[in-house]
C-alpha cells in the first residue's frame, strides 16, 4: 500500500498547489562528504541548476556528465500562515533513481525508483508564515536490485561510472516538477473507475477512497461544463445518456468532480478528467469500445537536447504534432513511466498508450541489443538478488498503476522490456508481476512484455503470461543486415510461422523494429546506416507484417534519435529515430506517413 495519494496535484476549492520549479542550488558530492559535512542543513557553494531537468548536459566537463553517486539539491520555500491546520506535502514528480528528503535539516522521507512520484509529508516540520529549507540528496547509481538494472563500477582514477544493462543514457536528477501542496485533513485519496457501454449510453462505476468518514458526492460534467450525471456515496455508478465515447483521435474528456461533504460544508473536492471507453482482448483482436484497433506508432523516450530526460512541455507539444502528422495512433512509454503531463496530452489527443514500468535490463549484459540475437544466456533470474529486485519491481508497478489507471489513453501495461525469458527461473518472477498488475488495475487492462530477439516460439518460457504478445525484432539490422537482408526476411518469416503454428489466439504487435540511420548519410545503392537502407529495411519489414493476420500493431523503434552510453555501436547515441533528436524527419518519415494514413484503423480486425 502506498501511504500517500498519487492523485495529480491540482488547485480546487479546498486544495492549494504551488510550483517549486526553478533554479535550485546544486552540488555533486564528488568527495562523498555530504553526510559528514551536514549538507542536509544547507549545501556549500553557489552553483544553481534548473528543476526539472537532467543535470548532465548543461556542463562542458565530462566528469560531470558521467557523474555517478550522490548529488544534492536545495531550495527555499515559503509556507503561508493560512495553511496552518492543513496537511502540507512536497510532491516530487520523480527523482532518478532514489532520493532522501530533508526539511529544515530533518530527514522527512526517502524514495526508491526514478520515474514515479512521491510525497514528503512536511506538516509537522515547516515554519508557517515563514521560509523553510528543502534539501534533497539524489543518487543515480545503478544496481541489479532496482529497476532499471545495471552496475556501478569504479575506474582506475577512482571515479564511479554507470554501466546500464539498457540502451539509454543514465540521465538523472530531479527530472520532473516539484509542487508544494496544502490539502484538507480529510481528503480524496484515490479514485477507481470502470466503464460499461450500453448501446449509446454508458455507465461509469466509481469507487472513492478518502482519508475520513464523511460522505462523498460525485458528479460528471461534459466538455461544455453541463452536468450529465450525479450520485452519492463512496461507491456508485454514473449513468451517462448518449455518451460521447473516448476514441482514437477524438479524446473526448468528461470531468468527474468528487467532493467530501459535511452537510452544506464542502471538506474537499478533486476534479479528475476521464474518458469513457472500454479496452479488451478478444481472440486475436485488440478492441477499443468493442471495435478492433490496429496500433501504429512508436517506442519513444523522454529525451532531448540539453534538458536530457527532464520534462519539457515544448518538446512534448512538438512530439504530439509529429505523431499526428505521420498518422500514428499510439506509443509505448519505453522504458519507464513518463511524466504525467504526457499521458494527459495523450488523453486529450486520443492516443493509445502502452504504459511501461522501468523493468529494463533484466538480462545481465551491457550490449544486450547485440547479444540477444546470439542466444547468449546470463541466468539473470537465478541471481541471489532476484528477490530484492522483484520487491522493487512490484512496488514500482503499484505506483505506476495507481498513478495512471484513470488515463483513458492507457490501454495496456508493459511489465518488462526484453527480460531473459528463456530460462525457467523467470517463470515464478513473471507469475508474481503479472498477477500483481491484474490485481491492481480496476479496469483489468491487457498486460504485456516486450520479447527480446532470442525469446522465440520454442525458447521463450513466459509468453503465455501476456495478453498481447509484443515482439522486439531486428531482422535486417542486428541479424543479417545489408545485402543479406533477403536472409533476414527468411528468418523473420520462419519465426512468425513458428508463432502462427502455436495457435495462441492472441494479438501480436511489434513493440520494436528499426535500423540505425544517420540523417547525414545518403548512399546509392544503399549501405547500412544510410537513409536509403532504413527505407529498404522498412519495405521488407512491412511486407512481412502485412502477410500475417495475427499482427495487430507496429510501433517502430524509435520515434527520435536518442542519447545512450558512448560505445562502438552508437554514434553519439542511438540513431534509429524516424525523426532526428531535433525532431526533424528522416526520409522514412514520409514512407511511414503514407503507409499509416492508408491503413484503416481496424486493419486486419475480425469484426467482433
Ligand atoms: C532493444 C531495446 C532498446 C534498444 C534497441 C536497440 O529494447 O532499448 O534501444 O533494442 O538496440 O534491445 O536499438
Amino acid at each position: 500500500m502506498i501511504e500517500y495519494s498519487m492523485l495529480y496535484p491540482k488547485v480546487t476549492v479546498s486544495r492549494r498547489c504551488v510550483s517549486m520549479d526553478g533554479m535550485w542550488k546544486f552540488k555533486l558530492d564528488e568527495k562523498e562528504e555530504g553526510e559528514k559535512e551536514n549538507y542536509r542543513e544547507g549545501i556549500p557553494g553557489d552553483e544553481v541548476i534548473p528543476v526539472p531537468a537532467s543535470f548532465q548536459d548543461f556542463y562542458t566537463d565530462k566528469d560531470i556528465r558521467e557523474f555517478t553517486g550522490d548529488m544534492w539539491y536545495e531550495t527555499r520555500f515559503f509556507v503561508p500562515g493560512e495553511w496552518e491546520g492543513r496537511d502540507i506535502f512536497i510532491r516530487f514528480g520523480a527523482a532518478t533513481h532514489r532520493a532522501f528528503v530533508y526539511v529544515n535539516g530533518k530527514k522527512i522521507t526517502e524514495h526508491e525508483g526514478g520515474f514515479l512520484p512521491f510525497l514528503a509529508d512536511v506538516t509537522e516540520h515547516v515554519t508557517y508564515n515563514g521560509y523553510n529549507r528543502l534539501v534533497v540528496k539524489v543518487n543515480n547509481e545503478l544496481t541489479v536490485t532496482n529497476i532499471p538494472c545495471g552496475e556501478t563500477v569504479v575506474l582506475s582514477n577512482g571515479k564511479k561510472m554507470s554501466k546500464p544493462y539498457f540502451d539509454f543514457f543514465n540521465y538523472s536528477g530531479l527530472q520532473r516538477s516539484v509542487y508544494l501542496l496544502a490539502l484538507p485533513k480529510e481528503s480524496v485519496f484515490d479514485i477507481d473507475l470502470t466503464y460499461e457501454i450500453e448501446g449509446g449510453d454508458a455507465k461509469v462505476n466509481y469507487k472513492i477512497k478518502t482519508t475520513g468518514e464523511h460522505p462523498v458526492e460525485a458528479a460528471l460534467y461534459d466538455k461544455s461544463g453541463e452536468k450529465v450525471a450525479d450520485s452519492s456515496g463512496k461507491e456508485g455508478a454514473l449513468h451517462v445518456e448518449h455518451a460521447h465515447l473516448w476514441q482514437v483521435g477524438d479524446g473526448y474528456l468528461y470531468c468527474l468532480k468528487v467532493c467530501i461533504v459535511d452537510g452544506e460544508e464542502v471538506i474537499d473536492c478533486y476534479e479528475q478528467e476521464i474518458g469513457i471507453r472500454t479496452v479488451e482482448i478478444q481472440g486475436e483482436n485488440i478492441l477499443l469500445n468493442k471495435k478492433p484497433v490496429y496500433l501504429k506508432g512508436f517506442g519513444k523516450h523522454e529525451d532531448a537536447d540539453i534538458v536530457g530526460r527532464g520534462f519539457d512541455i515544448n518538446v512534448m507539444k512538438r512530439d504530439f504534432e509529429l505523431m499526428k502528422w505521420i498518422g500514428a495512433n499510439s506509443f509505448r512509454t519505453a522504458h519507464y513511466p513518463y511524466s504525467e503531463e504526457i499521458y494527459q496530452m495523450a488523453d486529450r489527443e486520443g492516443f493509445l498508450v502502452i504504459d511501461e514500468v522501468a523493468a529494463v535490463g533484466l538480462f545481465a549484459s551491457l550490449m544486450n541489443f547485440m547479444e540477444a540475437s546470439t542466444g547468449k544466456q546470463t541466468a539473470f533470474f537465478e541471481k541471489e538478488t532476484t528477490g530484492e529486485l522483484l520487491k522493487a519491481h512490484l512496488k514500482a508497478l503499484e505506483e505506476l498503476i495507481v498513478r495512471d489507471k484513470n488515463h483513458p489513453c492507457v490501454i495496456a501495461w508493459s511489465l518488462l522490456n526484453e527480460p531473459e525469458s528463456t530460462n525457467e527461473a523467470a517463470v515464478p518472477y513473471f507469475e508474481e508481476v503479472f498477477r500483481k498488475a491484474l490485481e491492481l488495475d480496476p479496469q483489468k487492462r491487457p498486460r504485456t512484455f516486450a520479447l527480446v530477439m532470442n525469446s522465440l516460439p520454442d525458447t521463450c518460457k513466459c509468453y503465455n503470461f501476456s495478453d498481447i504478445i509484443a515482439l522486439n525484432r531486428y531482422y535486417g539490422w542486428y541479424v543479417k543486415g545489408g545485402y543479406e537482408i533477403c536472409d533476414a526476411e527468411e528468418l523473420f518469416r520462419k519465426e512468425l510461422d513458428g508463432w502462427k503454428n502455436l495457435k495462441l489466439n492472441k494479438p501480436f504487435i511489434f513493440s520494436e523494429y528499426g535500423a540505425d540511420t544517420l540523417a547525414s548519410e545518403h548512399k546509392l545503392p544503399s549501405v547500412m546506416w544510410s537513409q536509403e537502407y532504413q527505407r529498404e529495411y522498412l519495405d521488407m519489414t512491412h511486407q512481412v507484417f502485412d502477410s500475417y493476420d495475427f499482427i495487430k500493431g507496429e510501433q517502430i523503434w524509435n520515434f527520435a534519435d536518442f542519447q545512450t552510453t558512448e560505445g562502438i555501436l552508437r554514434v553519439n547515441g542511438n540513431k534509429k529515430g524516424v525523426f532526428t533528436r531535433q525532431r526533424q524527419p528522416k526520409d522514412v518519415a514520409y514512407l511511414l506517413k503514407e503507409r499509416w494514413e492508408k491503413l484503416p484503423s481496424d486493419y486486419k480486425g475480425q469484426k467482433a
Side-chain angles (χ1 to χ4, degrees), residues 7-21 77-80 82-83 86-93 119 177-184 268-271 340-341 344:
L7 295 176
Y8 189 76
K10 273 182 191 167
V11 179
T12 69
V13 287
S14 53
R15 294 172 170 236
R16 296 293 173 265
C17 143
V18 175
S19 168
M20 295 175 78
D21 294 353
F77 63 101
F78 189 88
V79 183
E82 57 273 26
W83 286 9
R86 302 191 189 206
D87 283 336
I88 313 297
F89 297 98
I90 298 172
R91 186 191 200 265
F92 296 85
L119 272 66
S177 289
V178 184
Y179 286 100
L180 181 65
L181 308 181
L183 303 188
D268 185 28
C269 273
Y270 188 78
E271 291 179 14
E340 291 152 290
E341 294 79 5
Q344 291 165 3

Side-chain angles (χ1 to χ4, degrees), residues 362 381 390 415-416 419-421 425-436 449 451 460-463 465-466:
L362 283 72
F381 291 99
L390 176 62
L415 308 184
L416 313 99
E420 188 174 54
S421 63
V427 175
Y429 190 101
F430 272 65
E431 228 158 52
E432 288 277 319
V433 173
F434 276 75
R435 187 190 50 72
K436 185 80 178 176
F449 75 100
L451 273 71
C460 181
K461 308 275 189 264
C462 300
Y463 59 78
F465 290 109
S466 279

Side-chain angles (χ1 to χ4, degrees), residues 167 335 369 417-418 472 474 478 512 557 562 570 574 576:
D167 186 36
H335 291 307
F369 44 87
N417 181 68
E418 299 198 340
N472 291 359
Y474 290 94
Y478 295 124
E512 286 185 26
W557 192 254
F562 60 92
R570 295 290 177 255
N574 186 308
K576 295 193 185 70

Side-chain angles (χ1 to χ4, degrees), residues 516 518 529 562-564 567-575:
D516 281 277
L518 294 174
W529 294 89
F562 60 92
Q563 197 56 244
T564 64
I568 51 170
L569 288 160
R570 295 290 177 255
V571 187
N572 184 17
N574 186 308
K575 300 293 183 203

Side-chain angles (χ1 to χ4, degrees), residues 329-333 343 346 351-355 409-413:
N329 64 9
S330 67
F331 59 94
R332 175 171 63 123
T333 68
Y343 302 79
F351 270 82
L352 306 171
V353 173
I354 299 181
D355 200 1
C409 66
V410 174
I411 58 151
W413 308 108

Side-chain angles (χ1 to χ4, degrees), residues 167-168 297-303 309 315-323 328 330-336 338 342 351-354 356 511-512 555-562 579 583:
D167 186 36
F168 49 94
F298 302 96
K300 284 187 97 266
H301 263 300
E302 284 185 286
D303 174 279
R309 189 147 293 121
V315 174
M316 171 179 82
K317 174 68 181 166
R318 174 70 177 176
D319 285 5
F320 274 92
E321 289 307 312
L322 291 177
M323 288 194 289
S330 67
F331 59 94
R332 175 171 63 123
T333 68
H335 291 307
Y336 37 81
Y338 289 180
I342 295 175
F351 270 82
L352 306 171
V353 173
I354 299 181
E356 186 157 281
S511 38
E512 286 185 26
Q555 295 187 325
I556 190 171
W557 192 254
N558 188 284
F559 171 76
D561 293 347
F562 60 92
F579 298 95
R583 273 57 179 183

